[in-house]
C-alpha cells in the first residue's frame, strides 16, 4: 500500500489495558493513535469494580512494609498455572509488574493504594493469603478529565439503568481515567472513538499498518513501529463463541458490546497463532429481570442447589473456580440452568449478595420474572423452584449441621483465606433456619474470553511456527492469557493487559 491516509509510529487498537501501551509509547517519544471500536473509552477494564492489578513487590506494597519476594510469587504462580503457558510468559508477568508501577508513579497522573485481596489458590505453595500482592488505583475526580470524563465507559449502573454519572471515577474507571489524563499531556497522541480495526496491512511478512473504519469511512493508517492489538475478547460474538466452544451466551457477559473479536480475526488472517480459544474468566451470574445473568460475588450467606435440590460447590470459592465447577456439571449434564441460591430471612428477602456489579432492581421485579421465590417452609420453596422437597430439606439440614460444627466436610467452604474475605475472617457457613425461606435464580457469567493470539514475553505475536510477526503485538484479552486455564488472583487480567501493553510499547520504541 502506498497511499496511506495517516501515519504514526504506534497504532493501538483498544482503550482498556491497552492504554498502558499508548501511554508508554507516547512517553518514549513516539507518535500514537488509539482506535476504540465503541463510543466510549475503557473496554472491559472500565467495568471492573476495583480496577486492581496483581503485581507482587511493587513500590506501593514496599512502602507499606510488605515482606514478599518475586521468587515466592513466581513459585505460587507456576504452581497454579503449571506448564499450560510458557515459563517465559509467566516470568515476564510476575517480574514485570513492579517495574511498571514504578514507571507510572513517576507521573503524577497515576496514584495507587494497597487493597488486600487474597490469592485465589490459598493452599498453593507461597500463596499470599493476606492479599498483599494487589493494589488498586486511587479514585479520580471526574472534573480532572474535563470533557474526556464523559467519554469513559460505565459505570454499569449508568449503562444498564441510566443512573447519573458519579462525581468520582473509581475502580477500573479510575484506572482508565488516569491513563487518559496522562495521555492528554502529550502532543503526539490521537484518540479516536467509533473506530474498529478491521484489517491489518502487511509487507514482506510483517505488519506495517491497518485499515480502520472511522464513522463509516475506511481509513488506512501506517504504523511505522508497530500495531498493538488490545481490543478485548470475543465474548459478545455468539457465533465466534460457538465456533470455539466457549460456554455461555453473549448476553450474559460483562464485556462491552464492541468485544466482537474483530482484532482476533484480523490477526489470524495474517498468520497469527492462537491458544486458549475455548476459555473465559468465569463467574456465577445473578439473573436479573431483563433475563441477563451478571457477575456476582461477596456472598454473606446462602447455598447453591441444583435441580435435584443438592449442594454441588463451595459457594464462597473465588468466582472463576465457582464458574468452572458450574460449567463442568453442565457439560456432564449433571445440572441445568438456572440453579438456585437458598437463604433464610435473617437479613430479609434480598439475596445475601453484596457485590452484584449490575445493581439490583426492585425485589418485585424479580418475583414477577420468576427469579425469586419465598415460602414459609423449605418444602413449599422446593415446590416453587421445581426441586424435590425432601432433597432440599435434607440438604439444608446437612448444611446446618456442618455450620454448627464450623467445618464443611462436603466442599471445604471456609478452608481458604479467600472464602472468609467477606465474613470478616469468620466462618462463611451461615445456618439457614429463620423462615420464611427464599430462593434466587443464578446462571453463568463471564468477565470476557481469555483466548487469543500467542505472544512472547515482549508481547510480540507469534505465527504457527513460533516466529514473531514483525510489527504485530497483542495484550489483554486479545492475547492468549498468561495464566492459562486458571485465575491466580484478583487483578491478574487487568495487570497482564497493562504489563504486556507496556512491554510491547517498549519493544516498539527499541525497534
Amino acid at each position: 500500500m502506498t497511499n496511506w491516509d495517516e501515519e504514526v509510529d504506534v497504532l493501538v487498537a483498544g482503550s482498556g489495558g491497552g492504554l498502558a501501551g499508548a501511554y508508554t509509547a507516547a512517553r518514549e517519544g513516539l507518535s500514537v493513535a488509539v482506535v476504540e471500536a465503541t463510543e466510549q473509552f475503557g473496554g472491559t477494564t472500565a467495568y471492573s469494580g476495583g480496577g486492581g492489578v496483581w503485581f507482587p513487590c511493587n513500590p506501593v506494597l514496599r512502602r507499606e512494609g510488605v515482606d514478599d519476594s518475586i521468587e515466592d510469587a513466581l513459585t505460587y504462580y507456576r504452581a497454579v498455572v503449571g506448564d499450560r503457558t510458557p515459563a517465559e510468559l509467566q516470568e515476564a508477568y510476575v517480574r514485570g509488574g513492579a517495574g511498571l508501577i514504578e514507571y507510572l508513579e513517576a507521573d503524577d497522573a497515576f496514584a495507587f493504594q494497597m487493597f488486600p485481596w487474597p490469592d485465589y489458590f490459598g493452599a498453593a505453595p507461597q500463596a499470599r493469603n493476606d492479599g498483599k500482592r494487589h493494589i488498586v488505583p486511587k479514585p479520580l475526580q471526574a472534573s480532572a478529565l474535563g470533557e474526556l470524563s464523559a467519554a469513559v465507559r460505565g459505570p454499569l449502573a449508568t449503562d444498564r439503568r441510566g443512573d447519573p454519572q458519579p462525581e468520582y471515577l473509581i475502580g477500573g474507571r479510575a484506572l482508565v481515567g488516569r491513563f487518559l489524563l496522562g495521555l492528554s499531556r502529550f502532543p503526539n497522541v490521537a484518540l479516536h472513538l467509533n473506530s474498529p480495526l478491521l484489517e491489518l496491512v502487511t509487507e514482506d511478512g510483517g505488519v506495517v499498518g491497518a485499515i480502520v473504519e472511522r464513522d463509516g469511512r475506511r481509513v488506512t493508517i501506517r504504523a511505522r513501529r508497530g500495531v498493538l492489538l488490545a481490543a478485548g475478547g470475543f465474548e459478545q460474538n455468539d457465533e465466534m463463541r460457538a465456533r470455539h466452544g466457549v460456554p455461555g451466551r453473549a448476553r450474559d457477559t460483562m464485556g462491552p458490546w464492541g468485544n466482537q473479536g474483530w482484532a482476533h480475526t484480523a490477526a489470524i488472517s495474517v498468520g497469527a497463532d492462537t491458544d486458549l480459544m475455548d476459555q473465559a474468566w468465569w463467574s456465577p451470574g445473578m439473573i436479573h429481570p431483563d433475563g441477563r445473568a451478571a457477575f456476582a460475588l461477596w456472598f454473606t450467606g446462602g447455598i447453591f442447589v441444583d435441580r435435584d435440590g443438592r449442594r454441588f460447590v463451595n459457594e464462597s470459592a473465588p468466582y472463576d473456580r465457582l464458574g468452572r465447577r458450574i460449567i463442568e456439571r453442565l457439560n456432564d449434564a449433571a445440572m441445568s440452568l438456572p440453579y438456585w441460591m437458598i437463604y433464610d430471612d435473617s437479613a430479609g428477602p434480598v439475596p445475601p449478595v453484596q457485590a452484584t456489579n449490575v445493581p439490583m432492581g426492585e425485589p418485585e421485579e424479580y418475583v414477577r420474572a420468576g427469579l425469586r421465590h419465598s415460602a414459609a417452609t423449605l418444602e413449599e420453596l422446593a415446590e416453587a423452584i421445581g426441586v424435590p422437597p425432601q432433597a432440599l430439606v435434607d440438604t439444608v439440614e446437612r448444611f446446618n449441621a456442618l455450620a454448627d460444627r464450623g467445618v464443611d466436610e462436603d466442599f471445604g467452604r471456609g478452608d481458604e483465606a479467600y472464602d472468609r474475605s467477606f465474613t470478616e475472617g469468620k466462618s462463611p457457613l451461615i445456618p439457614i433456619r429463620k423462615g420464611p425461606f427464599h430462593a434466587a435464580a443464578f446462571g453463568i457469567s463471564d468477565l470476557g474470553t481469555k483466548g487469543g493470539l500467542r505472544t512472547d514475553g515482549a508481547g510480540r505475536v507469534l505465527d504457527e511456527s513460533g516466529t514473531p510477526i514483525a510489527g504485530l503485538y497483542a495484550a489483554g484479552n486479545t492475547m492468549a492469557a498468561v495464566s492459562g486455564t486458571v485465575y491466580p488472583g484478583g487483578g491478574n487480567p487487568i495487570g497482564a493487559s497493562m504489563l504486556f501493553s507496556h512491554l510491547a510499547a517498549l519493544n516498539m520504541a527499541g525497534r
Side-chain angles (χ1 to χ4, degrees):
M1 183 172 293
T2 56
N3 297 316
W4 298 98
D5 295 313
E6 299 172 10
E7 294 194 24
V8 293
D9 292 319
V10 175
L11 176 63
V12 178
S15 62
L19 290 179
Y23 172 83
T24 302
R27 184 163 144 182
E28 296 300 314
L30 304 180
S31 61
V32 181
V34 176
V35 293
E36 162 59 46
T38 73
E39 74 289 354
Q40 289 180 302
F41 297 114
T44 310
T45 299
Y47 284 151
S48 170
V53 292
W54 191 90
F55 286 156
C57 305
N58 70 68
V60 180
L61 300 174
R62 291 201 302 269
R63 289 195 295 270
E64 294 288 340
V66 175
D67 180 19
D68 195 8
S69 74
I70 290 296
E71 296 309 317
D72 283 354
L74 265 173
T75 296
Y76 169 75
Y77 206 80
R78 287 171 173 160
V80 170
V81 178
D83 59 2
R84 183 59 185 81
T85 62
E88 173 202 10
L89 278 183
Q90 296 180 40
E91 185 148 349
Y93 174 56
V94 176
R95 292 192 183 281
L100 172 55
I101 296 302
E102 184 175 357
Y103 184 89
L104 295 177
E105 285 194 326
D107 184 338
D108 64 8
F110 299 94
F112 300 90
Q113 60 192 17
M114 184 170 70
F115 190 89
W117 197 255
D119 287 342
Y120 287 173
F121 291 82
Q126 302 302 328
R128 194 83 198 203
N129 288 322
D130 63 4
K132 293 182 179 179
R133 288 172 176 159
H134 181 263
I135 63 172
V136 299
K138 289 185 177 179
L140 177 68
Q141 194 159 18
S143 60
L145 283 176
E147 293 182 356
L148 270 176
S149 66
V152 179
R153 178 169 298 285
L156 281 162
T158 298
D159 289 358
R160 297 263 184 115
R161 298 200 320 187
D163 289 6
Q165 285 278 358
E167 180 182 352
Y168 279 86
L169 280 66
I170 63 172
R173 299 186 76 236
L175 187 63
V176 170
R178 290 185 177 281
F179 274 116
L180 291 174
L181 180 61
L183 285 164
S184 71
R185 299 171 178 175
F186 294 105
N188 52 341
V189 176
L191 303 172
H192 302 285
L193 294 170
N194 301 306
S195 302
L197 183 148
L198 301 180
E199 298 177 41
L200 294 167
V201 180
T202 59
E203 184 178 286
D204 298 328
V207 170
V208 295
I211 299 173
V212 172
E213 186 179 90
R214 185 181 301 156
D215 297 322
R217 185 175 70 89
R218 288 168 70 88
V219 178
T220 58
I221 304 175
R222 183 185 179 196
R224 291 181 288 264
R225 299 293 184 96
V227 176
L228 168 60
L229 302 179
F234 55 89
E235 59 271 10
Q236 283 284 358
N237 187 328
D238 273 321
E239 184 278 328
M240 201 165 173
R241 291 179 76 117
R243 179 162 21 110
H244 293 289
V246 179
R249 298 174 295 183
R251 74 177 192 176
D252 296 328
T253 186
M254 303 310 297
W257 70 265
N259 290 9
Q260 301 283 343
W262 295 318
H264 289 70
T265 301
I268 292 168
S269 71
V270 299
D273 195 14
T274 60
D275 193 16
L276 298 164
M277 293 293 280
D278 61 344
Q279 295 293 309
W281 309 94
W282 303 110
S283 73
M286 175 178 283
I287 304 177
H288 292 271
D290 63 0
R292 300 168 72 178
F295 172 44
L297 77 161
W298 195 341
F299 305 146
T300 54
I303 59 173
F304 286 138
V305 301
D306 58 20
R307 66 191 178 202
D308 296 322
R310 304 292 187 186
R311 277 184 80 208
F312 59 90
V313 73
N314 166 11
E315 297 87 352
S316 295
Y319 39 90
D320 185 70
R321 290 169 66 180
L322 267 172
R324 289 177 182 278
R325 176 59 176 158
I326 294 162
I327 289 167
E328 286 174 5
R329 288 179 58 82
L330 290 171
N331 289 342
D332 293 340
M335 62 180 284
S336 56
L337 299 180
Y339 54 97
W340 297 89
M341 173 179 275
I342 306 298
Y343 56 102
D344 70 9
D345 206 55
S346 297
V350 176
V353 182
Q354 307 307 313
T356 58
N357 291 281
V358 174
M360 289 191 209
E362 293 299 319
E364 309 83 60
E365 299 175 28
Y366 294 85
V367 174
R368 285 196 297 268
L371 301 173
R372 287 190 197 160
H373 297 272
S374 299
T377 67
L378 288 169
E379 289 89 346
E380 291 174 303
L381 186 65
E383 294 285 357
I385 63 175
V387 305
Q390 190 58 51
L392 184 61
V393 170
D394 292 345
T395 294
V396 171
E397 287 180 352
R398 167 67 176 171
F399 178 75
N400 289 344
L402 297 174
D404 290 342
R405 293 199 293 273
V407 179
D408 183 2
E409 299 169 1
D410 295 338
F411 299 102
R413 186 176 185 179
D415 289 356
E416 295 189 14
Y418 180 89
D419 297 7
R420 297 171 178 257
S421 297
F422 307 120
T423 51
E424 300 178 339
K426 301 174 184 176
S427 172
L429 303 173
I430 312 298
I432 300 170
R433 289 195 171 103
K434 182 182 178 183
F437 300 97
H438 310 288
F442 274 72
I444 186 75
S445 183
D446 63 67
L447 306 179
T449 53
K450 66 191 298 188
L453 313 177
R454 285 205 308 122
T455 69
D456 65 10
R460 298 183 298 176
V461 174
L462 307 177
D463 65 16
E464 292 185 359
S465 70
T467 302
I469 299 173
L472 186 59
Y473 301 79
N477 285 346
T478 312
M479 165 189 167
V482 60
S483 62
T485 59
V486 298
Y487 197 153
N492 187 116
I494 294 177
S497 180
M498 285 173 52
L499 178 64
F500 285 100
S501 293
H502 171 69
L503 295 176
L506 290 178
N507 188 273
M508 284 185 258
R511 286 190 71 198

